[in-house]
Amino acid sequence: MPIMTYRRGFLKFCAALSLVSVSGFTAPVMAADWPEKPVTFIVPFAPGGPVDTAARIVTSPFTSSWAHPVVIDNKAGAGGIVGARLAAKAKPDGYNFFFSAIHHAILPSLNNDLGYEIGVDLVPVSGVARFPIILVAHPSLNVKTVQELIDLAKEKPNSISYSSSGTGGGTHLAGELFASQAGVKLQHVPYRGSAPAVQDLVGGQVQLMFADATSALPFIKTAQVIPLGVGNKERSQLAPEIPTISESGLPGYEAYSWSGLYAPKGTPQEIITKLNADINQSLATKEIAERMNGSGSEPMIMTPEEFGKFTQDEVIKWRETIQKANIQVQQ
């Protein structure tokens, strides 16, 4: 190559490099080098809740395996919206992630002004945790199976009440989905949280509840409530002796709460793939699985593609349930 031609090419390269430097561009972080600093995980709920607990359990091995701290950043507010908005606007550099929940599959059907779009502004990384829902009845209702409950509800429409932790929440929609699929009418009684909803069930003020497992299991053990079925597709690791709602009288029924991991749009795919592998490796260990079971959840191992489709299916399912039940929540 002539010396002048080589020199011109070199000068063009230097000029281009200077422009890149002026623009503030930095080379993308490659998965082989990641992470090189602390990684932040936004949790859109207060410390100590089920999603926060699952987040802390599943990421606990990373501080040692990554040799960098894990930062759990609780950004509670508006039923999970505040944290989701912050995550959607976070820098997509591979150091900001978001623990989503079932709320983020329900919210699009209840709020037209979220300020973000799940699956677009936030892209899927991994499933994390399933929180089983157990259908329980007060002994006075005198039913022991889902089929017996359906028969009684058809015989006496609108006479059976069920409590929930609040209108539009997972335990409420689990009941609406059940009523729709079973072709029955139940009376919904919303409460401010699971604790008072369970207490009134135990006290006989209401007759049913689609309760989270951690709330229901202590009262099942003391026979203060009767378990009719679990909302999982398969029997729960937390109570394998309890049949699923599907096998106990309503084939095809499936409802439970869950949490999964998302990243801001634009996060390098190589890092998403690496984090997915690390999350799934953590979930597959006996120690992590036992800690999750002890806190009321089950590992939910998925690829990014599987978790993305799962969330889309959840959005569709709960939108149809909300529309059929004509549920509206004041904003």
Side-chain angles (χ1 to χ4, degrees):
M1 177 185 292
I3 293 176
M4 289 301 294
T5 302
Y6 177 84
R7 186 171 181 273
R8 291 193 193 99
F10 179 74
L11 290 173
K12 288 180 180 179
F13 171 77
C14 289
L17 190 61
S18 66
L19 288 174
V20 167
S21 178
V22 169
S23 68
F25 174 83
T26 55
V29 178
M30 302 306 292
D33 303 319
W34 179 90
E36 297 180 312
K37 61 182 182 180
V39 180
T40 296
F41 294 90
I42 294 175
V43 174
F45 305 104
V51 175
D52 175 74
T53 300
R56 293 176 189 276
I57 290 174
V58 75
T59 61
S60 60
F62 296 163
T63 296
S64 57
S65 63
W66 290 351
H68 291 285
V70 168
V71 179
I72 301 296
D73 189 9
N74 296 92
K75 297 294 185 183
I81 296 176
V82 170
R85 287 176 176 171
L86 290 171
K89 295 177 181 178
K91 190 175 181 180
D93 59 357
Y95 291 93
N96 296 288
F97 296 94
F98 173 67
F99 274 94
S100 63
I102 187 175
H103 304 63
H104 300 98
I106 295 171
L107 284 167
S109 299
L110 297 175
N111 191 318
N112 296 322
D113 188 28
L114 290 175
Y116 68 91
E117 185 174 349
I118 199 78
V120 177
D121 301 302
L122 293 163
V123 296
V125 176
S126 177
V128 174
R130 180 184 297 107
F131 307 97
I133 288 176
I134 305 177
L135 171 56
V136 287
H138 190 268
S140 64
L141 193 59
N142 199 28
V143 296
K144 294 184 179 180
T145 68
V146 169
Q147 188 59 60
E148 290 178 0
L149 171 62
I150 293 173
D151 292 342
L152 180 62
K154 287 183 176 179
E155 180 184 341
K156 300 178 179 180
N158 282 319
S159 66
I160 301 174
S161 60
Y162 74 97
S163 60
S164 80
S165 57
T167 300
T171 56
H172 172 207
L173 296 185
E176 294 292 354
L177 180 66
F178 179 93
S180 174
Q181 291 186 354
V184 299
K185 293 184 178 181
L186 304 173
Q187 289 291 334
H188 173 231
V189 183
Y191 288 79
R192 292 182 177 272
S194 293
V198 172
Q199 288 298 331
D200 269 13
L201 170 67
V202 172
Q205 281 74 37
V206 291
Q207 296 151 302
L208 293 174
M209 184 175 178
F210 293 80
D212 59 88
T214 52
S215 297
L217 286 174
F219 297 103
I220 291 173
K221 291 177 181 178
T222 57
Q224 292 173 277
V225 298
I226 307 298
L228 304 184
V230 179
N232 288 12
K233 185 176 183 179
E234 299 174 348
R235 293 198 181 198
S236 171
Q237 300 169 10
L238 307 185
E241 71 281 2
I242 302 175
T244 65
I245 292 174
S246 180
E247 68 180 292
S248 183
L250 189 56
Y253 180 89
E254 185 176 356
Y256 45 80
S257 296
W258 52 267
S259 178
L261 199 61
Y262 271 85
K265 178 180 67 176
T267 299
Q269 186 59 47
E270 295 88 350
I271 292 177
I272 288 176
T273 300
K274 172 68 163 57
L275 180 54
N276 174 267
D278 288 351
I279 289 285
N280 288 344
Q281 182 178 2
S282 175
L283 292 172
T285 64
K286 182 179 179 181
E287 177 189 355
I288 295 300
E290 288 179 347
R291 287 178 62 189
M292 291 182 70
N293 288 173
S295 69
S297 65
E298 304 166 340
M300 193 167 73
I301 298 175
M302 293 179 172
T303 65
E305 295 75 19
E306 289 170 340
F307 180 55
K309 184 180 185 305
F310 169 81
T311 305
Q312 290 175 359
D313 291 344
E314 286 281 284
V315 170
I316 294 170
K317 177 171 74 176
W318 298 126
R319 178 184 296 126
E320 292 175 348
T321 302
I322 288 167
Q323 289 175 347
K324 287 181 181 179
N326 193 28
I327 298 170
Q328 296 182 354
V329 177
Q330 291 184 348
Q331 299 178 13

